[in-house]
Structure formats: C-alpha cells, structure tokens
Amino acid sequence: MLFRSSNIIGKKKYLLDYYIIDRSNYYKIKQIFNNNDYWIIKPGHGLRQQDIIITNTYKIFENHMINIGDKYNNWIIQKYITNPLLINNKKCHLRVYCFVKRHNNLFESYLYKKGYIYVADKEYINKNFKNPEIHLTSSCNNLEFPKMFDKYFGFKTFKNKIYPQLKEIIRDTIKVSYKDFNCPNNKIDDYTCYKFIGYDIILDNKFNAYLMEANSRVIGMASTDAPGNCKSINPSLQTPKFKKDLMYDMMNIILNINTNDNSNFDLIFKKNIKILENFNNKSY
C-alpha cells in the first residue's frame, strides 16, 4: 500500500492526498474516514468513469469493494475537491496534452497550449453524491481552452493564472519519470521514439490546479467515431480540426521542422540522458 504522492515527487500544493491499495487489503485505510474529508474511489485501471464512487464513510466504501468483487486488482482513493471551479454552475476539469520525444540520448517534453474542458452533465450540488452526473465531468460536454476558458473567466485568465501551473505539474512529473522512458527500438542506430500523454487537471474556485491523473492509454483520439459521440467504445472526443492541428504540430516536432517557432507546443523540459544510466524497460 502506497500513501501520498509525496513519496514520488515530494509534497506539492497541486498533489492531492491519496492511497493506492490492493483489493485484498482495502480495510487498512479505514482510519481515513474518521474525519469529514470526502474521497473519490476509482479503479486503478478503469476507463470512462466506470465503478467510481465518492464518499466520506467507510461503510459505503466497504460495500462498494464487496459489490465490485475481483473485477479490479487495485484501487486509487484520492481526496476529493469539494469547491471545484464551475462553468454554468457545473463542475469541470481540464484535459491537457503532453508529447514526449527521445532521439538517442536526447529527451524532450512538450506541453500543448490547447486542450479541452470537460463539463459535468448536471449543475453542481455540494455533497449530493447520489447523482454521479453532478460530480463526474464528462467528455460529452467539451469546451476548448484557452478560448472558451477566457470567455467565462476573463481575457488572458488562462494564460496568467492556469498555464503556469500546468507547466509546473507536467514538468515535475516528467522530471521524475524521463529516465524510465526507454525506446523499444533503441538497438537501431539514430533511433527515435515518442509518447503522447493526457493529463487530467481539476481547478478549484480560486483557480488552484490539482493533478488527478495522467493517461497513457486511450485518450480520445479515435478517428473511426463521429465527433461528439462520447458513449461508444472508441469515442472521438475532439473536433476534426483540433485533431488535425495537433497531429500536424506533433509531426513538426518528430521531423524537427520549425519546432522553435511552433506556436502550439511549448518545450518545457529537455535533457541529455547519460549512456551509463540504468533503465528498467518501462515506457510512459
């Protein structure tokens, strides 16, 4: 059982307290329900908001573990933000994109300046956790940032208040993981490999950003589904224009074409990896 992200990055204001537990030892965190904090309980390898609950009582948590059974091997229990930033009185979170590239021993990480705001289906009612449509932000209600964010919260609010926090969060997480980015084709001369990561960031009503999770699997870029269809197995969460622009910008980085002049990607971390460093064959 691992408690708190401070074990990995050090205690940062954007890190929410959390536990990672095996299904067999969930009873060991009973003590966290002795105060008034609310916790979001989600499968460690779940998809699309399935089997998630929010509670401040151990009994509800225990019943959930029993009812789900052996469907998942591990769970994440994360402190819940009860004062989220609202759009049209609805809870929201940001989907932020990061692109990483390794060419031989040169590692680079880029933050995409555009992304999506996921908005809940129902208006926010604090502590009414019986209706998940209030609390689970949905890709069905996409709004693009920074344009739409500034429309609701003021000109350059995203650039001045939010974007610097996103850079800090992604730079910090990349710094602690870049050494483990091992290319599968590293036996080839002059090799290059890449990874696309989707970060989920939630904001509170004072514009403070908190890291919820980083996704390295399916992150809504399917091309076989109609735009806006968020209920299918392979959802297309972005508009065709957004995907086209994003892919174009990534190809510029891959091919080293005008990367310094690229207005949509921001180089936030660059490092030469020493040849003698050990790798554990992980890929993030």
Side-chain angles (χ1 to χ4, degrees), residues 191-220:
Y191 67 87
T192 303
C193 65
Y194 327 94
K195 190 68 177 177
F196 190 45
I197 305 170
Y199 283 77
D200 287 325
I201 308 290
I202 192 168
L203 307 171
D204 67 19
N205 56 14
K206 296 181 180 179
F207 296 113
N208 297 310
Y210 301 92
L211 172 62
M212 294 195 296
E213 62 184 31
N215 303 277
S216 61
R217 297 185 292 164
V218 179
I219 50 179

Side-chain angles (χ1 to χ4, degrees), residues 2-260:
L2 172 65
F3 177 53
R4 292 189 177 182
S5 46
S6 57
N7 294 344
I8 302 173
I9 303 175
K11 187 58 180 175
K12 298 283 188 175
K13 61 182 181 180
Y14 58 76
L15 293 175
L16 299 166
D17 288 345
Y18 73 83
Y19 291 86
I20 299 176
I21 63 168
D22 294 327
R23 191 212 169 276
S24 60
N25 62 10
Y26 65 82
Y27 60 90
K28 291 185 178 181
I29 62 166
K30 186 175 182 179
Q31 72 280 0
I32 72 170
F33 295 97
N34 292 333
N35 51 38
N36 293 322
D37 291 331
Y38 279 80
W39 301 86
I40 182 168
I41 292 93
K42 50 189 176 181
H45 294 89
L47 288 172
R48 305 198 53 73
Q49 306 171 350
Q50 294 180 1
D51 299 318
I52 294 176
I53 64 167
I54 304 163
T55 185
N56 67 338
T57 65
Y58 177 74
K59 188 63 177 177
I60 293 176
F61 166 66
E62 182 181 41
N63 288 339
H64 188 62
M65 293 293 100
I66 294 172
N67 292 335
I68 293 297
D70 297 330
K71 186 176 180 180
Y72 306 100
N73 291 327
N74 58 72
W75 291 79
I76 298 171
I77 294 88
Q78 190 175 53
K79 197 169 184 179
Y80 191 69
I81 295 293
T82 56
N83 62 328
L85 187 70
L86 305 180
I87 290 181
N88 290 333
N89 296 318
K90 297 178 180 179
K91 182 183 170 185
C92 62
H93 86 268
L94 306 181
R95 168 57 61 89
V96 181
Y97 295 113
C98 172
F99 182 67
V100 297
K101 170 186 174 182
R102 181 173 177 181
H103 177 68
N104 293 327
N105 294 315
L106 179 62
F107 181 91
E108 297 174 331
S109 176
Y110 296 83
L111 172 60
Y112 203 54
K113 296 179 182 179
K114 299 178 181 180
Y116 277 92
I117 311 167
Y118 291 177
V119 184
D121 291 329
K122 303 293 183 181
E123 290 190 1
Y124 184 76
I125 302 174
N126 192 18
K127 297 185 179 180
N128 178 1
F129 298 114
K130 293 182 179 181
N131 184 355
E133 292 180 311
I134 292 174
H135 298 276
L136 299 181
T137 44
S138 171
S139 54
C140 300
N141 307 311
N142 287 349
L143 298 171
E144 289 191 32
F145 68 71
K147 181 179 179 180
M148 295 303 295
F149 191 94
D150 288 349
K151 176 182 177 180
Y152 285 99
F153 302 109
F155 182 60
K156 290 189 177 182
T157 299
F158 188 88
K159 178 181 178 180
N160 295 333
K161 293 187 177 182
I162 308 303
Y163 192 70
Q165 296 183 78
L166 302 184
K167 290 177 69 174
E168 179 186 7
I169 291 171
I170 295 178
R171 185 184 293 116
D172 283 353
T173 55
I174 293 297
K175 279 184 177 180
V176 299
S177 60
Y178 80 93
K179 292 181 181 180
D180 291 330
F181 187 81
N182 191 26
C183 293
N185 60 342
N186 60 10
K187 303 300 182 183
I188 302 173
D189 291 339
D190 202 32
Y191 67 87
T192 303
C193 65
Y194 327 94
K195 190 68 177 177
F196 190 45
I197 305 170
Y199 283 77
D200 287 325
I201 308 290
I202 192 168
L203 307 171
D204 67 19
N205 56 14
K206 296 181 180 179
F207 296 113
N208 297 310
Y210 301 92
L211 172 62
M212 294 195 296
E213 62 184 31
N215 303 277
S216 61
R217 297 185 292 164
V218 179
I219 50 179
M221 297 302 293
S223 60
T224 57
D225 198 21
N229 183 354
C230 56
K231 300 297 185 182
S232 70
I233 296 175
N234 295 310
S236 180
L237 309 183
Q238 292 81 11
T239 64
K241 183 181 185 307
F242 182 90
K243 288 189 287 188
K244 180 180 178 181
D245 290 346
L246 177 59
M247 295 301 177
Y248 177 85
D249 292 335
M250 285 194 295
M251 288 303 300
N252 279 345
I253 294 174
I254 293 171
L255 299 174
N256 294 314
I257 300 175
N258 298 324
T259 54
N260 293 330

